[in-house]
Amino acid sequence: MKVDVFDYDLPAERIVQHPRPRGSSRLLTLDRESGAIAHRSFRELPEILQAGDLLVRNDVKVRPARLYGRDERDRLVEIFLIRPLTAERRRWLALAKPGRRAKSGRSIRFDEEVRATIIDVDAEARRLVEFDRSISEDLLERIGHVPLPPYIRREAGAPDREEDREGYQTVYARESLAVAAPTAGLHFTPETLTNLDSRGIEIADLTLAVGAGTFKPVTAPDTESHRVDVEDVLVPEKTITSLRAARENRRRIVAVGTTVTRALEAWARLPNADSHEAGDVSFQTDLFITPGFEFRVVGALLTNFHLPRSSLLMLVCAFGGTESVLAAYGEAIRREYLFYSYGDAMLIA
């Protein structure tokens, strides 16, 4: 499909810049068969879902992957860590801004006298960065910054705001593997989760390590020419047992976000997905979901509102129908919903 099909105009004031109290967001519901739209509150989610539903979450934690340092001329440089490349966590794949200050061979110093050298720059402008010590999660917590997306405006190099440290993390986040939040999960409060459980809605977790590719713009003119980055997925044995039971009993599986949707649909396409072998399943996926995709697992999708022309919007259109989803986006804009990471939510079922 042509990428410009997934374009829309969004007033700048609809891009919310600060997290709001969890659970206070609005919830637009879309019936994907009829196209009917309703306007609810996220607090109503336990009443909207059905007893017997299986709700699947991404329990990944966002690491403070954005580092601000100084080059040899004392100029500010941003190094955005993507993932460690060695077990001792000294070598990392990273992005840099501005790139001209992080050329191969350049040295950069950070807080706590941490130093790094740019070893190489690849064809996609990613940096191979070698630090003078192990960059542990504890060290990152001290010198790193919340990797907010570019549409949330913060002063470069300024200390993190506590609202972002807390608000850009789900209440059920566990292991620090992601450089972006699974934002559909940001709405949940412990009370919401308790209410879901009390209404007979089962909850299961998986882990997809959201990478920097989630911000990757689709620059190709058609969807067939775009590729999404590979991401690591872990589906625990307990979750697999719940998924198989739900499928066998024709219970609805509700994905919390596009990352869960990609993980579940990729898992369903593994050679052993339908076997009854025990154990956790780890794999990598670059599954790119666009309209015409056959969904094998997901029966309902809870998601935020996504950027125009993005792979995330294409996935949502594939699930809910392009015409219906874009019509719902238009209705959300008219009714002044808030968009993107700290914005309102949408349930497609």
Side-chain angles (χ1 to χ4, degrees), residues 54-74:
L54 172 61
L55 185 84
V56 185
R57 317 174 299 191
N58 185 358
D59 65 4
V60 77
K61 187 176 183 180
V62 183
R63 62 164 52 111
R66 179 171 276 126
L67 301 180
Y68 291 108
R70 296 280 173 177
D71 68 3
E72 294 144 337
R73 296 170 58 183
D74 202 36

Side-chain angles (χ1 to χ4, degrees), residues 23 25 35 42 59 62 84 117-118 129 131 176 182 191 212 239 283 303 308 315 324 331 348:
S25 296
F42 187 83
D59 65 4
V62 183
T117 302
I118 308 299
V129 182
F131 291 88
S176 296
E191 180 184 13
T239 296
F283 60 95
T303 184
L315 182 153
S324 294
E331 175 73 0
I348 307 173

